[in-house]
Amino acid sequence: MLLSLFQKNEFLDAATSNWIFDTFAWALTEFEQDVFSKDSQLILPINSFYPGNVSSIAEMAQSVFDNTLKYAGMQHWPIRLVSPEQYQGQQQMPKLQFKDVMRGDKVTVINNDYTDTSVNEILVSYNPAQINQPQDLVASFAQAFAAILISQRGSLPPGGEKFVSQAIDLVACFMGFGVMFANTAYQFKGGCGTCYNKHANREAALPEQEMVYCLALFSILKGMRIKDVSYYLKSHLRSSFKQAYKDINKQLKNTDNQRLLAVKI
């Protein structure tokens, strides 16, 4: 998924924008369109979304983890945060069963296979270097939750297995974390030596342009205005977001395009 070197009018080349529309439609089908319509909100890097005072790195990580899990609609999942020292990785993620829906307040996880509920726990850890870069920390948790969600559903995105990494980033945006993902998709490496810490940055599968496009699509579907979103973006992303927003609105007016109609809700 590479941008065309000589774009004229469209924000992205047709193949990339079509994949984003197709994958957003796939996410709406697979991950509770009703929850997206009624409950999903744009999560912003402000205190009202991540309130509270903490006294340690572990407390901050747990607070961010809990809030991010709730905003992802996965607060009833048996997902537990463990410290980096405790985390050894899981050789195999337990397969969960759900009574009805996978996301939202009505989720019921059915653990019929084991009497020991800890066997069904999914473990997640964090990067201590991201404590001073909270948007990266939030995005990393959201990325982990999106990966877990896709794995548990067992449905491949458009393009198949080779596009799973990109789909994880898109699903995180679909869950409301698009601002955080756009702001952390690229990290400037210049400046003084203490201004950049590569170990604190999250791994981005979708580059800035594609991420901004996903965010614009989310914003339009949720009825948000450009200024409601662009204020929270890094300054160099604001004009791109405005352009993407206008480009998508223009395309959505094409009622003959079945690919675009699939994401209208």
Side-chain angles (χ1 to χ4, degrees):
M1 294 195 330
L2 298 176
L3 296 176
S4 171
L5 293 177
F6 302 102
Q7 295 183 62
K8 294 182 179 180
N9 297 317
E10 288 82 14
F11 184 74
L12 293 180
D13 63 88
T16 302
S17 62
N18 285 342
W19 181 86
I20 289 174
F21 278 111
D22 287 345
T23 308
F24 223 96
W26 166 80
L28 285 166
T29 300
E30 298 292 341
F31 307 121
E32 319 305 341
Q33 178 173 323
D34 194 53
V35 172
F36 176 86
S37 302
K38 297 178 180 178
D39 301 329
S40 293
Q41 56 185 322
L42 185 63
I43 310 306
L44 300 173
I46 54 179
N47 288 336
S48 59
F49 282 94
Y50 289 90
N53 296 316
V54 296
S55 59
S56 68
I57 290 176
E59 284 185 11
M60 180 175 179
Q62 188 67 57
S63 177
V64 172
F65 172 90
D66 291 340
N67 281 292
T68 304
L69 193 64
K70 177 182 67 176
Y71 298 140
M74 299 167 67
Q75 66 270 34
H76 298 303
W77 286 49
I79 302 177
R80 181 165 62 92
L81 181 68
V82 296
S83 69
E85 295 77 20
Q86 294 175 311
Y87 186 71
Q88 301 296 325
Q90 286 182 295
Q91 292 184 349
Q92 184 173 358
M93 184 188 300
K95 180 65 176 176
L96 304 179
Q97 300 177 48
F98 299 86
K99 184 177 181 181
D100 294 304
V101 296
M102 294 185 75
R103 293 199 308 129
D105 289 333
K106 298 180 181 178
V107 168
T108 300
V109 179
I110 304 170
N111 296 329
N112 291 328
D113 295 337
Y114 306 101
T115 56
D116 181 4
T117 56
S118 66
V119 175
N120 291 290
E121 283 187 330
I122 298 173
L123 303 180
V124 171
S125 192
Y126 61 94
N127 178 359
Q130 291 181 339
I131 293 300
N132 293 322
Q133 295 182 194
Q135 290 198 65
D136 285 270
L137 181 61
V138 170
S140 293
F141 280 141
Q143 203 170 38
F145 300 153
I148 292 167
L149 184 68
I150 291 173
S151 176
Q152 291 292 328
R153 172 59 79 184
S155 171
L156 290 175
E161 185 71 35
K162 66 180 180 179
F163 284 97
V164 169
S165 294
Q166 292 90 335
I168 287 170
D169 283 8
L170 183 144
V171 168
C173 179
F174 164 82
M175 295 192 297
F177 300 97
V179 166
M180 311 283 196
F181 269 68
N183 282 340
T184 61
Y186 171 78
Q187 300 293 339
F188 178 63
K189 299 177 178 61
C192 64
T194 59
C195 296
Y196 174 74
N197 180 1
K198 67 178 181 179
H199 301 294
N201 301 330
R202 73 173 181 88
E203 293 293 329
L206 283 180
E208 273 187 341
Q209 290 283 92
E210 283 90 335
M211 205 66 247
V212 166
Y213 201 85
C214 292
L215 173 60
L217 179 55
F218 174 94
S219 303
I220 289 170
L221 293 179
K222 296 296 292 184
M224 304 186 71
R225 300 172 298 177
I226 290 174
K227 65 180 182 180
D228 295 332
V229 181
S230 61
Y231 176 83
Y232 299 98
L233 290 171
K234 289 181 176 179
S235 58
H236 74 279
L237 297 176
R238 292 169 186 168
S239 60
S240 294
F241 176 78
K242 183 177 181 179
Q243 183 184 348
Y245 190 101
K246 291 181 176 180
D247 181 71
I248 294 170
N249 258 334
K250 180 181 178 180
Q251 292 192 60
L252 287 174
K253 291 178 181 178
N254 178 8
T255 56
D256 295 328
N257 191 325
Q258 295 302 311
R259 172 180 282 108
L260 306 187
L261 286 174
V263 300
K264 288 186 177 180
I265 59 175

